Amino acid sequence: MSMLIAENVHKWYGKFQVLRGVSLTVDQGEVVVIMGPSGSGKSTFIRTFNALEDYQQGRIVIDGTELSDDLRNIDKIRQEVGMVFQQFNLFPHLTVLQNVTLAPTWVRKWSKAKAEEVALQLLERVGILEQAQKYPGQLSGGQQQRVAIARALAMQPKIMLFDEPTSALDPEMVREVLDVMRSLAESGMTMIVVTHEVGFAREVADRIILMDEGLLVETASPIDFFQHPKEERTRKFLAQIL
């Protein structure tokens, strides 16, 4: 079953076209990694999936619901799509537990008790249960990003989007975040990940996509992408990062 269908998506910033007819279908339980140079449109593309970016032409369908300008439609889709950003975007004046329970109590209308029960399970899942009563400023970058993942999971999404989730982290903190993402993939979560983490892409992705200049250049399995790329642009990109 297709969890996400994007067909011929175009987006302009004024006269500059950042997405030039990009299409992608992602099946339930699939892990898709999007790679590409800075400015290629990859972050903009995944941000259209939950209406953080609008688009001027094309069609996006999330779990059978077509994205439209209707705010009720957008709210429904945002409940199904979790997102983790480069920056952690945690509320500094709230504890870790309060950060994770905020959306389920306001949006899902859960009781405080249920929200806290689920939040504590998720904090244990991402390995930071003991940090529940601390504030974000008391945590390392890697710990804050794991809180951000738990916060996104608390809404029980059907798809998780990751926009370069390790790029703001010190190198020694990257592994702890990638380990959480690996376990998510192993659990069957549908994931779309913008990243330059080659090891993660090789190990976890079902498909890897190269984007450049607002176009989808190549799609392949990890083995074919890294060892037998078909496109010259892919070979040049890999020469830069490997």
Side-chain angles (χ1 to χ4, degrees):
M1 177 182 174
S2 296
M3 289 296 294
L4 180 143
I5 301 169
E7 295 178 344
N8 197 33
V9 177
H10 293 254
K11 178 177 175 60
W12 287 263
Y13 290 123
K15 293 184 179 179
F16 175 69
Q17 187 170 4
V18 63
L19 297 176
R20 299 160 60 194
V22 188
S23 297
L24 174 67
T25 299
V26 180
D27 291 335
Q28 185 172 359
E30 192 174 16
V31 179
V32 175
V33 166
I34 303 178
M35 308 185 89
S38 178
S40 61
K42 53 193 188 295
S43 292
T44 300
F45 185 41
I46 71 164
R47 288 167 69 94
T48 63
F49 300 158
N50 58 359
L52 290 178
E53 295 276 1
D54 60 359
Y55 58 98
Q56 286 78 45
Q57 193 175 320
R59 178 172 175 260
I60 293 175
V61 180
I62 306 290
D63 191 28
T65 300
E66 185 164 354
L67 189 59
S68 71
D69 292 334
D70 188 321
L71 290 178
R72 292 169 298 180
N73 180 289
I74 291 172
D75 286 343
K76 180 180 179 182
I77 283 175
R78 284 181 176 166
Q79 289 184 39
E80 307 292 355
V81 181
M83 187 153 191
V84 178
F85 303 87
Q86 295 180 39
Q87 304 299 331
F88 321 122
N89 295 341
L90 300 174
F91 292 107
H93 64 291
L94 300 180
T95 65
V96 165
L97 184 62
Q98 289 169 335
N99 266 281
V100 178
T101 59
L102 186 64
T105 52
W106 278 88
V107 180
R108 296 275 191 206
K109 307 300 183 186
W110 288 358
S111 67
K112 181 182 178 183
K114 179 180 179 180
E116 289 190 350
E117 179 184 358
V118 171
L120 291 171
Q121 290 171 355
L122 289 170
L123 291 172
E124 183 173 22
R125 183 176 178 182
V126 301
I128 48 171
L129 178 60
E130 72 281 359
Q131 312 294 344
Q133 300 304 327
K134 291 185 178 179
Y135 291 88
Q138 298 173 285
L139 306 183
S140 70
Q143 289 172 328
Q144 289 186 62
Q145 192 61 296
R146 285 188 280 165
V147 175
I149 293 172
R151 179 183 59 183
L153 291 173
M155 285 292 288
Q156 300 183 331
K158 294 182 179 178
I159 302 173
M160 284 285 287
L161 309 176
F162 294 85
D163 186 8
E164 303 198 33
T166 59
S167 64
L169 299 177
D170 292 334
E172 64 269 23
M173 297 178 186
V174 169
R175 181 177 176 179
E176 63 191 59
V177 173
L178 293 179
D179 284 345
V180 172
M181 293 169 63
R182 283 188 185 94
S183 69
L184 263 185
E186 289 167 2
S187 74
M189 174 65 74
T190 306
M191 296 167 58
I192 305 172
V193 185
V194 173
T195 185
H196 290 300
E197 297 291 341
V198 171
F200 175 84
R202 284 186 196 271
E203 181 185 339
V204 179
D206 296 300
R207 275 187 295 153
I208 301 177
I209 290 168
L210 180 72
M211 284 188 68
D212 189 31
E213 297 183 347
L215 292 169
L216 196 158
V217 175
E218 183 161 352
T219 303
S221 69
I223 289 176
D224 288 338
F225 186 86
F226 288 111
Q227 297 183 14
H228 312 290
K230 293 179 180 177
E231 302 295 331
E232 178 62 25
R233 182 66 187 90
T234 308
R235 290 191 282 273
K236 287 183 178 179
F237 173 75
L238 292 174
Q240 297 285 328
I241 67 168
L242 295 180

